[in-house]
Amino acid sequence: MPTSENDSPPVYREIAEDVRTAIASGRLSDGDRVPGENDLMKQYGVARATARQALSVLINEGIVVAIRGSGVYVRAFRPLRRHGPRRLSRELWGAGRAIWQADSPDGSFETDSVEVAEVPAPAYVARALGLADEAAVVRRHRRYRLEDRPMQLATSYLPAEFAAGTAIAEPETGPGGIYARLAEQGRAPAHFTEEIRVRMPTPEEAAALHLNAGTPVLDVLRTALTEEHTAVEFNEMTLDGSAYVLQYDFDA
């Protein structure tokens, strides 16, 4: 059956595909300026609205970034490598290092805000920790940044029964962080489970992480358990999806 004109993709999508191909092939590299509205109008003989629509498709996909007053650029992607098993090893926090330091050995990855409070556990947190509904937990909310760029939000919940009134409930928990403090109580984490999903950010998350339009986030939900498989921490992390590579190594 012959293809009708109605079966052809809209012109703006064809233009977006051409630019996408140029990026994928390396003709346009990270940080390069992509053709603007005027360039696309001239090259393809289209109206400004069509050129603008083509660029909007790429911006919403997160492939390019619009910088006000400057132009549209290929998103520079220099990801932070997050090695799941290595960063949680006892050798790290047992030696007095914070687990997030494994993400950036040169020390440029750091926290820039910490909020600590005792609150009733949300229902999903209570389930993860095996607590009664609205049982008291210590909530630790942090934002992490790399060279002044916000990278991650993290909120840990620990049962107030053993966390309240200890260094765990202080903004500065001391060498090795909360896992070292749990170990001092005889509750050292020995097992971890992580669930990962990708979604679009809430407006509050987009603002806190300074995300460009079209940038997704990674949700990492981690539960820390003792040798007896008692849950001692539930950590809800929100990562800038354009800034991370998640690495997991497994034996066959």
Side-chain angles (χ1 to χ4, degrees):
M1 180 180 295
T3 301
S4 71
E5 291 184 3
N6 290 336
D7 292 327
S8 301
V11 174
Y12 75 89
R13 291 199 175 278
E14 293 182 350
I15 297 172
E17 180 58 28
D18 286 350
V19 177
R20 195 183 294 111
T21 299
I23 294 170
S25 68
R27 283 185 284 126
L28 288 172
S29 302
D30 290 353
D32 283 354
R33 190 178 188 278
V34 304
E37 291 179 11
N38 291 337
D39 300 317
L40 295 177
M41 290 166 61
K42 181 177 180 181
Q43 181 178 348
Y44 291 93
V46 296
R48 183 174 299 278
T50 301
R52 183 173 299 159
Q53 229 175 341
L55 292 174
S56 293
V57 168
L58 299 170
I59 291 169
N60 289 334
E61 289 177 356
I63 297 172
V64 300
V65 178
I67 299 177
R68 187 182 298 275
S70 179
V72 180
Y73 296 84
V74 179
R75 184 188 294 279
F77 183 63
R78 299 176 182 84
L80 196 65
R81 188 167 294 274
R82 183 184 186 274
H83 193 291
R86 184 183 304 156
R87 70 196 303 275
L88 295 172
S89 69
R90 189 190 302 263
E91 287 137 4
L92 185 71
W93 49 264
R97 297 181 63 201
I99 62 173
W100 49 264
Q101 289 178 314
D103 296 336
S104 180
D106 63 5
S108 55
F109 193 60
E110 58 186 2
T111 55
D112 71 351
S113 66
V114 181
E115 300 170 4
V116 186
E118 186 172 326
V119 299
Y124 67 97
V125 172
R127 285 194 300 271
L129 292 174
L131 301 175
D133 289 348
E134 297 191 344
V137 291
V138 171
R139 181 183 65 198
R140 300 180 53 83
H141 179 74
R142 294 89 73 202
R143 185 174 73 168
Y144 297 93
R145 59 186 172 88
L146 178 67
E147 297 174 355
D148 295 324
R149 174 181 173 176
M151 301 282 285
Q152 177 188 151
L153 306 174
T155 305
S156 290
Y157 299 88
L158 301 97
E161 174 187 357
F162 56 76
T166 72
I168 293 171
E170 297 295 328
E172 178 54 59
T173 56
I178 61 176
Y179 291 166
R181 304 292 79 76
L182 288 169
E184 291 167 356
Q185 297 183 12
R187 296 183 172 90
H191 310 280
F192 297 94
T193 65
E194 283 194 347
E195 297 180 3
I196 301 169
R197 66 172 179 166
V198 180
R199 60 174 175 83
M200 297 309 295
T202 66
E204 294 77 16
E205 290 166 342
L209 292 172
H210 300 179
L211 300 178
N212 292 303
T215 303
V217 292
L218 298 168
D219 263 349
V220 181
L221 306 179
R222 183 177 70 231
T223 305
L225 306 104
T226 65
E227 194 68 55
E228 296 76 29
H229 285 266
T230 300
V232 290
E233 181 219 23
F234 178 75
N235 194 348
E236 190 172 18
M237 292 158 277
T238 304
L239 284 59
D240 177 347
S242 71
Y244 279 89
V245 169
L246 306 186
Q247 178 178 340
Y248 295 87
D249 299 329
F250 302 94
D251 294 328

